[in-house]
Amino acid sequence: LAAVLAFFLFVVLGTSSSPGTPGSGPVVGVGDPAPGFVLPSVTGGAPVDLHALGVDRHRPVVLNFFASWCTPCRQETPLLAEAARSEAARGSPVQFVGVDGADPPADAVPFIQGAGITYPVGRDAVFHVTQAVYGLSGEPNTFYIDAHGMVVGRTVGPVTQAGLDRWLRRLGGAGS
C-alpha cells in the first residue's frame, strides 16, 4: 500500500510541477547534450558517473530511470538487463546505466538482483538527478545517448523489445 501511495504521489505531484518550479529542471530533449551526474552506486562500489561511463570513453549509453515500486519499470527492467548482457557478450560499445529513484536500498537491491541487472545503477535518493537535472516527473524514462554525449532519442514509459533493438542498432550495438 505504501508503494502504491508513493507512486501515486510522485506521479500526481511530479506532473503538476511547472517548469521553473524549485526542484524541477527543464526536460532534457533530443538534440541536447546529456547532463552528466555522479551518484552513489545502489549496490556499493564505485560511484556511477555518466560521463566516465559514456562520452569520456567514446561509448553510447542507454540511460534508464526507474524505481522498484514502479509497475511499468518492473515490466521493462528484465528486458533492459537481458539486452545489456547480450550487448556485452557481443562486444558492443553500448553502455547501459540505470538511475534508481527514491528507493530505500532494502527495496532497490533485491529488485536489481531479481531483474538480473549487471550494469551500473546510481541511487537518486531524493530525485535530484531525475527531477532537477533531467526534468522528469515520472518513471520509467529511457534516454539514448550517442558516443559524443548527445541525446539522440528518448522513450517515455516502458521500452519494448522492438524499440530497444532499433535504438541499439542505431547506437552501434547489435540489438536482438
Side-chain angles (χ1 to χ4, degrees), residues 72-174:
C73 301
R74 289 182 167 275
Q75 296 165 353
E76 79 167 1
T77 302
L79 173 71
L80 289 162
E82 177 56 34
R85 283 191 303 275
S86 294
E87 291 297 306
R90 292 182 179 118
S92 168
V94 178
Q95 172 69 58
F96 284 68
V97 176
V99 174
D100 179 70
D103 263 338
D107 294 337
V109 172
F111 175 73
I112 289 166
Q113 291 171 340
I117 292 175
T118 56
Y119 50 85
V121 177
R123 182 170 184 257
D124 191 11
V126 295
F127 291 121
H128 174 72
V129 170
T130 304
Q131 290 180 341
V133 177
Y134 275 78
L136 304 177
S137 61
E139 295 170 332
N141 270 276
T142 304
F143 290 84
Y144 307 98
I145 304 166
D146 70 15
H148 305 289
M150 299 300 290
V151 175
V152 294
R154 178 176 172 208
T155 299
V156 178
V159 299
T160 64
Q161 183 70 58
L164 184 57
D165 287 346
R166 279 191 303 275
W167 280 111
L168 289 172
R169 282 190 299 276
R170 182 169 175 190
L171 291 172

Side-chain angles (χ1 to χ4, degrees), residues 23-45:
S24 70
V27 175
V28 175
V30 174
D32 291 341
F37 60 81
V38 178
L39 289 170
S41 172
V42 170
T43 56

